[in-house]
Amino acid sequence: MDPDTWKILLEYFDYRQFLASNPPLRLACIFGGMCLMAAAIHALSPWCQRRLEAFAARKYHLEGGGSAPSGKGAGGKGADGGDGTLNAMDFAMFERVMVNLRRLLYLAILAWGAHMLRLAPAYATAIASLFSIICTITGIAFVASLVPFNLDLYMRRHGETLKTSQTRSLMPIITGIIWAVGLTFLLDNMGFHVSTIIAGLGIVGVAVGLAGQAILADFFSYIVILLDKPFRIGDHVQLAGGKAGDVEYMGPKTTHLRSLEGDLIICANSEMTRGVIVNLGSVRERPVVLEIGVAYETPMDVVRRVPDILREVVDSFPRCSFDRACMLGFGTANYRFQLLYVVRQSGIREFQLTRSAVNLAIQERLNAGHIPSAYPTTHVLLTETPQGAGPAAGAAPAPAADPGASALSLAEDEE
């Protein structure tokens, strides 16, 4: 209804006819019923809220986490445990849902009271239109608060929250879609030609899509990354082009990687979804295969103790788990041993530091046990030719040499 219609209705409102159709006793009963229902909602709402919180705490309580009824948890309303645990729900988001729900119930009470009044058809239609607008807007706000709350509740059962997840960047878009759909429904009920508006927006959308194809490609790739989750913040990934680094930021357009050298690598999201990605950050156990050479001059009793020495070195590191150590075979100048151990729950930096520490500890133990490692050497064998012995038959005469000179026969053993 347009403002002129409301102005006419208010100008020609007949109070005497209204009181004749609605006696004071009837008005008092309607008003009393509205007050009783409002008081019941006001009294029962906190009780229902506590019951819902307790139900969520029992059903979705995470192992090691805690619940904070009515948002009184550690750190304030909606705060999670400081030791990394999660509450059963985000109590601040739950409070917003309950506030919007109470508003809807109060509006329902007002709508009931207006419906019980005996009004002329024009006034009844006007009040119905007014309540339709207010209830629709309040209902949209309720749905817009309920969707992120349920999404956060689902994510908490999988060990994360909406605030700490990259999915939160999509919430403004989801909220905008909810409001757009709700307002379109409201305008259609009010008699506006919504199809014309939608057709115009479609033409604008096509023009924007053609002008920003690259941006839209990166944005939809961002949605694919959020849904498929090939990597997360903090994971160390290696791209098909050879670039590697820790994921620092994922945005609608680009993803930022921090290399081990400290360089910031900015990649388009479409490139991240198009090529092959090796995720090294999601690996919780990293095996290490190490070959060690022990010189042939080492006594056999010492050689037999090499696997035990390697086991002792690996077991001295809490993050390492020994698998096996065995002799692979014979090298050109050494016994070849193979060590296999696992580094548990570490990032790429911690893994490299742990592997380096294990290598240094192994070398220190070998040095302390006087166990030499083989290294490239050249052996020269000297052979003396007896004096007076002539050359073999048919051989070319040897060049002149000083008396007493010796012929050298060299045999090289490259290791």
Side-chain angles (χ1 to χ4, degrees), residues 285-363:
E285 293 185 349
R286 303 176 186 273
V288 179
V289 180
L290 179 64
E291 288 194 9
I292 302 170
V294 177
Y296 282 133
E297 292 80 7
T298 307
M300 284 304 302
D301 57 339
V302 178
V303 173
R304 294 181 182 275
R305 290 192 294 109
V306 170
D308 296 332
I309 294 174
L310 298 178
R311 174 192 289 270
E312 293 174 1
V313 172
V314 173
D315 290 341
S316 64
F317 291 86
R319 285 187 174 183
C320 298
S321 176
F322 178 83
D323 190 338
R324 63 180 181 272
C326 57
M327 179 179 171
L328 285 181
F330 301 92
T332 55
N334 56 13
Y335 302 105
R336 295 172 54 226
F337 285 88
Q338 185 185 70
L339 170 64
L340 179 60
Y341 64 94
V342 178
V343 182
R344 299 185 300 269
Q345 295 181 351
S346 61
I348 187 66
R349 288 182 173 85
E350 292 78 6
F351 167 72
Q352 292 178 345
L353 292 175
T354 303
R355 183 176 59 182
S356 175
V358 171
N359 293 341
L360 293 175
I362 290 174
Q363 188 61 47

Side-chain angles (χ1 to χ4, degrees), residues 272-284:
M272 301 291 292
T273 56
R274 186 180 300 120
V276 178
I277 299 177
V278 180
N279 189 347
L280 302 177
S282 60
V283 179
R284 298 306 176 190

